[in-house]
Amino acid sequence: MKKTILLPLTLLLLIFTSKTTAQNMSEAGSFGAGLAWTSLNYGASLKYNFTKSHTGQIIVGSVNYGFSYADQSSFSITGRYSYNLDTNDIGFASFHPYLYGQVGYWTLKYDLGYLGSYNLNSIAAGIGGGTEWSFNDFIQGLAFSIELGYTYVSFDGVASIGGFNGGGGIHYYF
């Protein structure tokens, strides 16, 4: 739990104390760091714009099922490819719509006492779309996102989750 909280706080501290020059979210070669989440996955996120149209993203985090016992843990790592559509500038804000595909690895460990303990692993896949935006007169380099998608996860044939989900994120572009 301490590691889960410490990583995002460290990233945010680095973002707001950085002496580097902020970049536009849609520029080729821009690097973004921040937080991303959907209804199934959340965590620290790194983005890199290979070109104006192609972006790679890695989300390292955890799935959350509301376990309150000390011997439960989960971990996930998800890689995304986004195809970026044309950026729209409406004066006070810039909007950057995108389509994405993702693949991830999820693991879940828990102990149910007399019912047994489980170590479940899964490859997750998903597709979706969203938009990222920044306010032109706000903090330069700070961008927000919102998205809708479909994700499927099957834990070793024991349980599966997935379906349509929403998400969002916040990134600072260096």
Side-chain angles (χ1 to χ4, degrees):
M1 180 69 176
K2 291 178 184 176
K3 290 179 186 176
T4 304
I5 293 172
L6 218 62
L7 182 61
L9 290 177
T10 303
L11 279 174
L12 288 174
L13 181 63
L14 288 172
I15 288 169
F16 290 112
T17 61
S18 174
K19 302 280 189 216
T20 60
T21 305
Q23 286 193 344
N24 186 306
M25 65 185 171
S26 62
E27 289 180 13
S30 62
F31 171 75
L35 301 172
W37 59 91
T38 69
S39 59
L40 300 175
N41 185 15
Y42 67 89
S45 170
L46 300 174
K47 290 177 126 181
Y48 183 74
N49 290 340
F50 299 107
T51 67
K52 190 173 183 173
S53 298
H54 305 283
T55 300
Q57 180 179 11
I58 295 177
I59 303 168
V60 177
S62 180
V63 290
N64 184 2
Y65 296 105
F67 290 126
S68 60
Y69 301 105
D71 51 358
Q72 276 75 29
S73 64
S74 58
F75 173 77
S76 67
I77 184 163
T78 303
R80 277 188 172 186
Y81 162 77
S82 296
Y83 179 77
N84 306 314
L85 306 172
D86 289 336
T87 300
N88 300 308
D89 193 354
I90 60 169
F92 71 93
S94 295
F95 292 89
H96 188 75
Y98 59 90
L99 301 172
Y100 71 84
Q102 67 182 25
V103 174
Y105 174 75
W106 293 14
T107 182
L108 174 63
K109 299 175 186 176
Y110 59 97
D111 185 359
L112 295 175
Y114 296 114
L115 298 175
S117 59
Y118 297 89
N119 183 4
L120 306 174
N121 301 296
S122 178
I123 300 295
I127 58 171
T131 189
E132 189 168 37
W133 73 92
S134 64
F135 297 104
N136 296 336
D137 294 329
F138 196 52
I139 300 171
Q140 182 66 27
L142 188 63
F144 305 89
S145 63
I146 188 166
E147 58 192 36
L148 292 172
Y150 181 85
T151 304
Y152 179 76
V153 184
S154 177
F155 288 104
D156 299 329
V158 174
S160 63
I161 56 175
F164 290 97
N165 54 63
I170 182 170
H171 290 84
Y172 183 82
Y173 286 87
F174 299 92

